[in-house]
Amino acid sequence: MYDAIVIGAGPAGLQAGLTLGRMHRKTLVLDSGTYRNGTVAHMHNVLGDDGTAPADYRARARTQLAEYQDVEFSPGTVARISGAIDGFTVHFPDGHSEDTRRIVLATGAVDELPDVTGLTELWGRRAFACPFCDGHEFAGKEIGIIGAGPRAGHLIGMLGRIASRITVFPLATDLPEDLAGLESADVHAAPVVDSVTAAAEGVTVTAGDQEFAMAGLFVAAGTFRQSAPFIAELGLRILDSGGIEIDDFGRTSVAGISAAGDLAHRASMPGPMPSVLQAAAAGQLAASAIVQELSV
């Protein structure tokens, strides 16, 4: 039996595995091979790794974790989880299973983008959600914001001192009051967006019968959902944001199951922050709490 099975091998899962391994706890880390930042060329706002490719970051972490004999890696996904604290069973799609005392969910989230032709193809390369991660790269350049909802004003407030000019491209579903609010903002309001395509120097946005050249795009209308389907079957308390509720130590509402990364957050927070550093810190905290529990 494992002391812990960590489901997910992004920053949260890798750090959880490292923390457990350093404390000589028998650990299995499961890697689906799919990551929320899988389309991202370079990470930013990550101390010591600003500009590093996410794949390189994960590969370096895997190499370091290989030094710990108590940590095993396995590719693949999970079909379901049964049992209870100190006696969970993780079932795999091929029919085999593994037993463990604790579970760390680090399966991450999936971005759900507005229905704009071409946006999925640009996601993580020329279209983004996080100004902390990608805003600086557009300093002194013209950018576009997809969607005129409440988050558009939030993005304008942060990006206004970085970009030379901001153009907001509303969606057909945006409310009249959202559009009216743009008229008083120091931005250009364009017609409703139809499609976006990559250009030699950025992005071309088609809106109405016009085309706009932008250095890059930020999306104000996206949401997220849980990446792993089996999570819905665990009976975990889910917050209004769609994130799993955790306490200060990363523990969920089900004893023995912890969660770390952008799939979970405390109820005091409006939502999870998609941050490599914060995901790793959450993985470390959740694993540390498990070590403390198992040491009693």
Side-chain angles (χ1 to χ4, degrees):
M1 175 180 285
Y2 289 98
D3 289 314
I5 292 181
V6 179
I7 307 175
L14 292 169
Q15 180 62 59
L18 176 60
T19 300
L20 289 159
R22 287 189 57 81
M23 298 306 294
H24 293 218
R25 290 294 180 178
K26 187 178 181 183
T27 302
L28 176 63
V29 179
L30 302 174
D31 187 353
S32 70
T34 301
Y35 317 98
R36 189 176 187 179
N37 64 357
T39 62
V40 174
H42 303 98
M43 303 184 305
H44 296 292
N45 199 29
V46 181
L47 186 63
D49 276 301
D50 194 47
T52 298
D56 293 343
Y57 175 91
R58 292 190 297 269
R60 193 169 71 250
R62 289 283 294 266
T63 298
Q64 294 170 357
L65 275 163
E67 299 297 320
Y68 294 89
Q69 295 182 357
D70 291 297
V71 180
E72 302 173 29
F73 276 90
S74 179
T77 59
V78 170
R80 64 185 180 92
I81 297 172
S82 63
I85 186 169
D86 288 323
F88 290 108
T89 299
V90 176
H91 303 266
F92 298 90
D94 65 1
H96 89 281
S97 62
E98 298 288 354
D99 297 326
T100 183
R101 299 179 66 187
R102 297 291 188 276
I103 299 283
V104 179
L105 300 174
T107 46
V110 174
D111 291 297
E112 295 192 316
L113 303 176
D115 187 17
V116 175
T117 301
L119 185 58
T120 298
E121 290 74 18
L122 299 183
W123 188 242
R125 297 283 182 175
R126 303 189 187 190
F128 311 94
C130 175
F132 293 99
C133 304
D134 300 291
H136 171 75
E137 282 60 46
F138 297 102
K141 300 177 182 180
E142 185 170 358
I143 62 171
I145 293 178
I146 302 294
R151 191 166 182 267
H154 186 59
L155 288 173
I156 291 167
M158 290 192 287
L159 293 166
R161 65 186 299 115
I162 297 174
S164 63
R165 178 181 168 92
I166 296 175
T167 300
V168 175
F169 298 92
L171 300 168
T173 54
D174 284 330
L175 301 173
E177 52 264 36
D178 295 328
L179 301 177
L182 292 175
E183 296 174 0
S184 61
D186 188 21
V187 298
H188 175 66
V192 171
V193 59
D194 294 314
S195 65
V196 296
T197 55
E201 296 294 331
V203 178
T204 299
V205 181
T206 301
D209 58 356
Q210 303 178 57
E211 288 190 347
F212 300 81
M214 300 284 127
L217 300 172
F218 285 82
V219 177
T223 59
F224 77 94
R225 60 177 171 82
Q226 294 292 328
S227 174
F230 70 85
I231 285 178
E233 303 170 1
L234 294 176
L236 305 174
R237 188 175 298 124
I238 303 296
L239 297 164
D240 291 342
S241 67
I244 299 168
E245 182 179 0
I246 54 174
D247 67 10
D248 291 342
F249 296 96
R251 295 173 297 212
T252 72
S253 58
V254 174
I257 299 181
S258 300
D262 56 9
L263 78 167
H265 63 95
R266 295 188 296 276
S268 59
M269 302 293 289
M273 185 173 182
S275 160
V276 170
L277 282 177
Q278 292 209 28
Q284 183 184 66
L285 183 62
S288 298
I290 287 173
V291 170
Q292 295 289 347
E293 289 179 9
L294 296 179
S295 299
V296 174

